[in-house]
Amino acid sequence: MKAWLARPWFGPLVALVVVYLLFVWLSPDTFARSVNLSTMARQTVVVAIAAVGMTYVIIHGGIDLSVGSAVALTTVVIARVLERGSGPLVAVLAGVAVASLAGAINGLLVARLRITPFIVTLGTMGALRGAAKGLADEQKVDADPSGLDQLMSALSPSSPWLLPAGVWIALAVAGLAALALGYTVFGRHVVAIGSNVRTAELCGVPVARVTILVYALAGALAGLAGVMEFSTLTVGDPTDSIGLELAVIAAVVIGGGSLAGGQGSIAGAMVGAVLMTVIRTGCTHVGVPNWVQEILTGAIIVAAVGLERLRRRR
Amino acid sequence: MARQVSRLELAAIAKAFGSTRALEDVSLSVAPGRIHALLGENGAGKSTLMQVIAGAERPDRGSMRLEGLPYDPVSPGQARERGVAIVHQELSICPQLNVRENVLLGAEPTRLGLVDARRARQRTERALRLLRGADRPLDPDTLVSELSPAEQQLVEIARALAHEAPKLLILDEPTSSLGGDDVERLFASLRALRDEGLAIIYISHFLEEVRRLADDFTVLRDGRAVLSGEVQASEDDDWIAAMVGENVTQGAASAVRTPGREALGCTGLVSASGLAGVDLSLAQGEVLGIAGLVGSGRTELLRALFGLEPFSAGQVRVRGQRVVPSPAAQLARGVGLLSEDRKSEGLALALSVADNLTLSKLTPFGRWGVVSPRRQRGVAAAWVDRLRIRCRDVSQPARELSGGNQQKVAIARLLHHDVEVLLLDEPTRGVDVSSRAEVHALIADLAARGKAVLMVSSSISELLETCDRIAVMRRGVLGAPRPAGELSEHGLLAEASGA
């Protein structure tokens, strides 16, 4: 029992349950319905998948601001490939490959030129956005989704799968990533570098290689999030997902991630992502105006981190 | 010699930290217009004494008087108000600010919340004028990052002097990061300050510096002032004898160990970090000690051999093969380093004992680089048992362990990695007495099993107790190693400090 209490995601999970029950109580007719649960799950998928990659980056001691631009670029790449008549699998692979490459470039710049991750990814945030706009000729790219839309669309009530494929993919990715973080040499090296990079160097950890891999992984997962975004939009949109990176970082931080590195958990980031969706959806159901939602979400981010600090001080 | 009233008078000062008695009974008198050198080996109590005088620590017993008046500062701020200022060994200046801003940092004269530019200029100029011994005066508007190390040191001193009436200045090893010319420039300024009537307490390990600069001296040993007097009227030998004391440690020639072939060596190693052509040959089954002062290049040598610091010339050999050192490559060849800086480099304090212990060699479980936490904990627990590391269990964060036990975790990592060559930088720094003996026994055991150990220590008696051979490092040059049995603490200390 005590071990559970000490987990970094325990606090956010309690907050999630409390907020959820609050909205169930305020809006029992609509909020608690299973259709709404499924909708909220679908709305969390993009942030959740990107947050898996961001968790690695933040535990490693870095930050990735280029996520939103990478998602938008991925949707454009997929649309362009589909437009040429290629199959959906080729389009998805192309999209994820481009995003992974962008991530690997982030990693190379951080590891080899030793530029701080904030600056590097601030730069690529702009560059990838520009690339997306260029590739899309500065407008939305229409293409036949060739079944990719099925990943995120609501299922018929009779379906045995309960939730759309995108949600299951997100859960599988999160589960695998959590296992890899805890139980592989790579994962332990990521934690060690974020905790104390000098110790990691002293112990012969291949710091540069791990760094490049971490950012490439974050890019790949941003690409996968881009696939889900395309599935939702069914067009390639170069102006999509502006500011998405901030929601993704918020999810990680709410879930116990520390921007100083060495701390964070995939489970916590998932709870953080769901918490933000619940607040947004709940507020809509109760009829709270948009601007109040924004204030609430901002307050929750700061409160979550502040409470965690207090808990640890004791 | 008849003097006016003492600037600072200490009577029977005592201070203990837990069960460690840092200061037993120190009495000291510092005269105005004199430079008073404080000598002593590491751990003799010099730093603690300075902390007490500067108000950072309060003594358990004893009393202090400043210009005849009772003096009992409860904080560094209060000490400064009475005119007592300390300049620490490490520079603490803000390179992006100019000289004036650095000098007045934290004590800016204000009017209506704004910096009072006129008074700021006056106060800076007064402080800088006191340093007029400098061959060219410091310009208050220069960025500190553009100054030489010696001038930066002067800025720190100016900051200490910027208060209303400076009476006593304490300098803790101010030359450890300075080159030859810079030292002269600093000394000229200090002499000028002395002639203004300031009292200066000067801590240094370099006996030659003390002889050139100081008027009076006091030797501390084991928390007591054991000898004091005028510099002119005493010999270097008297100082060293007082620093070392009666319990003269002689090197013990080890009969058990038979050194084998060369395990690690280097020729002509030169680096920007201060190595000036170092040759070394370390044999399997021997413990080779390096004596030398802080800043002599001993730590830099270990780091260059391990690949943590680049070198510009020379070569490194492992088992006769020329290699390009990098930490990962050296570990793969069986060469491991124990960092002197346990807290910021040696350990990842937030990580568990098990993570720290196995980090360099996470035994993969099967393929795909999968780690089994159960096996990892099992391996760590075995080392915790063997080295008697005191911790709740191996998942306890390293931060919560005592210094001695943290050090054992760092050493256990090298043992877990099963290295053949151990580069140990201050293996017993901040380690309690019993753990220290255990670490020494461990080193002896490793050498007996054919491992090669290169050990740096500030404690010469420790080197004499544990090493087969000892070499002295001085200003980036390593002397020839000699059998420990032929060496004495007295002789090594004299060599290292340049007497």
Side-chain angles (χ1 to χ4, degrees):
Chain A
M1 187 62 203
K2 256 197 161 165
W4 282 76
L5 276 171
R7 298 280 173 172
W9 41 261
F10 183 77
L13 188 64
V14 171
L16 175 61
V17 171
V18 169
V19 171
Y20 181 76
L21 291 177
L22 177 74
F23 283 122
V24 168
W25 177 63
L26 286 174
S27 174
D29 302 330
T30 58
F31 192 78
R33 277 162 57 189
S34 65
V35 177
N36 183 47
L37 277 176
S38 169
T39 309
M40 287 198 295
R42 280 190 293 132
Q43 285 172 346
T44 310
V45 165
V46 172
V47 169
I49 292 177
V52 171
M54 189 68 82
T55 304
Y56 270 77
V57 172
I58 284 179
I59 291 178
H60 174 273
I63 193 97
D64 185 355
L65 299 176
S66 67
V67 170
S69 300
V71 167
L73 177 62
T74 305
T75 66
V76 174
V77 169
I78 291 174
R80 279 291 188 220
V81 174
L82 289 173
E83 203 180 39
R84 288 157 150 253
S86 301
L89 188 63
V90 176
V92 165
L93 288 178
V96 173
V98 167
S100 307
L101 183 69
I105 291 170
N106 280 337
L108 266 170
L109 291 170
V110 171
R112 298 287 179 210
L113 293 185
R114 303 196 175 232
I115 310 173
T116 50
F118 188 97
I119 306 293
V120 168
T121 58
L122 186 65
T124 47
M125 173 174 105
L128 295 181
R129 180 68 65 186
K133 286 178 180 169
L135 188 63
D137 291 331
E138 305 210 42
Q139 53 194 345
K140 286 184 181 149
V141 181
D142 285 308
D144 175 14
S146 314
L148 284 180
D149 54 326
Q150 293 299 314
L151 283 173
M152 291 289 278
S153 57
L155 297 172
S156 71
S158 59
S159 166
W161 284 92
L162 291 169
L163 295 165
V167 178
W168 292 115
I169 291 173
L171 284 171
V173 163
L176 281 176
L179 287 175
L181 190 61
Y183 301 95
T184 64
V185 173
F186 172 68
R188 300 320 295 160
H189 281 175
V190 171
V191 178
I193 291 171
S195 184
N196 187 341
V197 67
R198 292 184 67 200
T199 307
E201 257 164 25
L202 187 78
C203 290
V205 171
V207 175
R209 200 166 74 207
V210 172
T211 302
I212 294 167
L213 271 175
V214 162
Y215 283 91
L217 178 70
L221 289 169
L224 188 60
V227 172
M228 301 305 165
E229 185 71 6
F230 176 81
S231 170
T232 313
L233 301 172
T234 69
V235 293
D237 184 355
T239 58
D240 177 61
S241 293
I242 292 173
L244 175 74
E245 55 279 345
L246 298 181
V248 173
I249 293 167
V252 176
V253 168
I254 290 172
S258 160
L259 291 185
Q263 270 176 45
S265 79
I266 304 283
M270 296 304 102
V271 171
V274 173
L275 181 59
M276 286 191 295
T277 309
V278 167
I279 291 169
R280 199 173 56 236
T281 314
C283 285
T284 313
H285 278 254
V286 178
V288 176
N290 208 13
W291 59 271
V292 178
Q293 293 176 27
E294 284 169 18
I295 292 175
L296 262 178
T297 311
I300 293 260
I301 294 169
V302 177
V305 178
L307 283 174
E308 186 63 21
R309 277 288 135 75
L310 285 177
R311 210 160 67 102
R312 279 180 191 266
R313 203 170 295 167
R314 253 176 270 134
Chain B
M1 170 176 187
R3 284 182 201 159
Q4 63 242 73
V5 59
S6 280
R7 183 56 58 84
L8 178 75
E9 187 89 47
L10 304 187
I13 296 289
K15 174 80 191 172
F17 297 102
S19 58
T20 333
R21 288 196 219 161
L23 297 174
E24 293 261 352
D25 169 24
V26 177
S27 298
L28 182 72
S29 171
V30 182
R34 309 274 287 184
I35 297 178
H36 193 114
L38 199 60
L39 303 166
E41 288 193 276
N42 291 302
K46 302 187 297 276
S47 308
T48 310
L49 186 62
M50 292 309 105
Q51 302 282 14
V52 167
I53 296 174
E57 296 282 354
R58 301 200 69 188
D60 299 335
R61 276 183 288 115
S63 65
M64 299 191 276
R65 299 180 86 80
L66 188 69
E67 294 193 302
L69 301 170
Y71 170 68
D72 182 22
V74 296
S75 71
Q78 218 177 68
R80 269 200 303 274
E81 275 169 30
R82 296 285 299 270
V84 175
I86 185 164
V87 175
H88 289 283
Q89 193 172 349
E90 296 83 24
L91 288 177
S92 56
I93 48 173
C94 306
Q96 324 292 8
L97 298 183
N98 67 25
V99 170
R100 187 196 355 266
E101 287 159 341
N102 266 290
V103 166
L104 297 176
L105 195 62
E108 296 86 353
T110 54
R111 212 168 70 189
L112 303 170
L114 300 171
V115 175
D116 183 339
R118 200 166 51 85
R119 265 167 60 213
R121 197 162 44 244
Q122 283 169 355
R123 280 189 28 199
T124 313
E125 271 164 18
R126 199 187 56 227
L128 293 177
R129 208 162 43 234
L130 287 170
L131 295 173
R132 61 164 182 231
D135 49 358
R136 78 187 155 93
L138 291 172
D139 173 7
D141 293 315
T142 317
L143 278 188
V144 164
S145 57
E146 292 167 10
L147 299 177
S148 73
E151 289 170 326
Q152 296 185 352
Q153 186 69 265
L154 290 178
V155 171
E156 281 227 28
I157 295 173
R159 181 195 296 161
L161 299 175
H163 293 270
E164 292 309 320
K167 295 195 175 81
L168 175 69
L169 178 66
I170 303 168
L171 296 161
D172 190 357
E173 298 224 37
T175 58
S176 58
S177 56
L178 301 183
D181 291 353
D182 285 342
V183 171
E184 284 313 317
R185 228 165 284 159
L186 177 70
F187 281 9
S189 290
L190 292 181
R191 290 194 188 100
L193 286 172
R194 170 190 61 191
D195 297 342
E196 293 269 331
L198 193 74
I200 296 175
I201 296 180
Y202 186 86
I203 301 176
S204 176
H205 280 109
F206 287 104
L207 301 187
E208 52 178 1
E209 277 185 0
V210 169
R211 195 154 279 290
R212 287 217 316 272
L213 182 69
D215 306 299
D216 305 311
F217 74 94
T218 296
V219 178
L220 283 189
R221 187 178 74 234
D222 301 332
R224 294 170 190 278
V226 289
L227 184 69
S228 59
E230 285 190 47
V231 169
Q232 295 303 330
S234 62
E235 300 290 326
D236 284 4
D237 269 357
D238 304 338
W239 299 349
I240 293 172
M243 284 156 75
V244 174
E246 297 301 319
N247 53 341
V248 179
T249 322
Q250 269 285 332
S254 74
V256 229
R257 303 201 279 262
T258 43
R261 293 189 306 143
E262 181 186 275
L264 178 77
C266 68
T267 325
L269 222 51
V270 176
S271 77
S273 58
L275 301 180
V278 177
D279 300 340
L280 172 90
S281 180
L282 173 69
Q284 289 165 352
E286 86 161 331
V287 183
L288 176 56
I290 298 181
L293 304 177
V294 174
S296 63
R298 45 183 208 181
T299 292
E300 290 74 11
L301 173 61
L302 294 198
R303 297 177 75 82
L305 290 171
F306 188 60
L308 271 173
E309 268 174 28
F311 49 88
S312 50
Q315 60 170 29
V316 174
R317 300 179 303 273
V318 176
R319 287 181 290 278
Q321 295 277 315
R322 189 176 172 179
V323 299
V324 181
S326 79
Q330 289 296 62
L331 278 167
R333 295 182 191 109
V335 180
L337 175 84
L338 181 79
S339 170
E340 64 167 341
D341 191 349
R342 191 164 56 223
K343 292 200 187 310
S344 69
E345 180 175 51
L347 295 177
L349 291 175
L351 296 187
S352 69
V353 170
D355 275 338
N356 270 295
L357 211 154
T358 55
L359 183 55
S360 74
K361 194 171 148 199
L362 285 164
T363 39
F365 186 72
R367 273 184 293 176
W368 304 104
V370 173
V371 179
S372 154
R374 200 154 42 93
R375 249 177 52 161
Q376 189 190 11
R377 280 197 296 270
V379 168
W383 284 112
V384 163
D385 272 356
R386 254 184 79 180
L387 300 191
R388 281 182 287 156
I389 299 169
R390 269 176 288 280
C391 56
R392 215 170 39 236
D393 60 70
V394 294
S395 49
Q396 189 176 7
R399 172 177 292 123
E400 296 172 5
L401 269 56
S402 73
N405 286 300
Q406 287 180 348
Q407 191 71 347
K408 285 197 217 164
V409 172
I411 295 174
R413 175 162 65 216
L414 296 179
L415 302 180
H416 165 65
H417 198 96
D418 200 19
V419 293
E420 290 299 315
V421 181
L422 293 94
L423 308 171
L424 305 180
D425 200 353
E426 299 276 9
T428 59
R429 172 181 284 180
V431 165
D432 61 276
V433 182
S434 64
S435 302
R436 191 178 155 107
E438 286 175 11
V439 170
H440 289 170
L442 194 64
I443 292 172
D445 178 50
L446 287 167
R449 288 193 285 124
K451 314 266 184 196
V453 180
L454 185 60
M455 174 171 165
V456 161
S457 174
S458 292
S459 161
I460 290 173
S461 59
E462 171 172 54
L463 291 176
L464 285 165
E465 282 163 36
T466 48
C467 297
D468 301 307
R469 295 191 297 159
I470 299 172
V472 174
M473 188 123 195
R474 191 153 177 266
R475 304 213 186 258
V477 178
L478 187 68
R482 284 159 293 164
E486 298 168 9
L487 299 168
S488 69
E489 192 170 355
H490 189 295
L492 285 171
L493 185 61
E495 265 184 71
S497 50

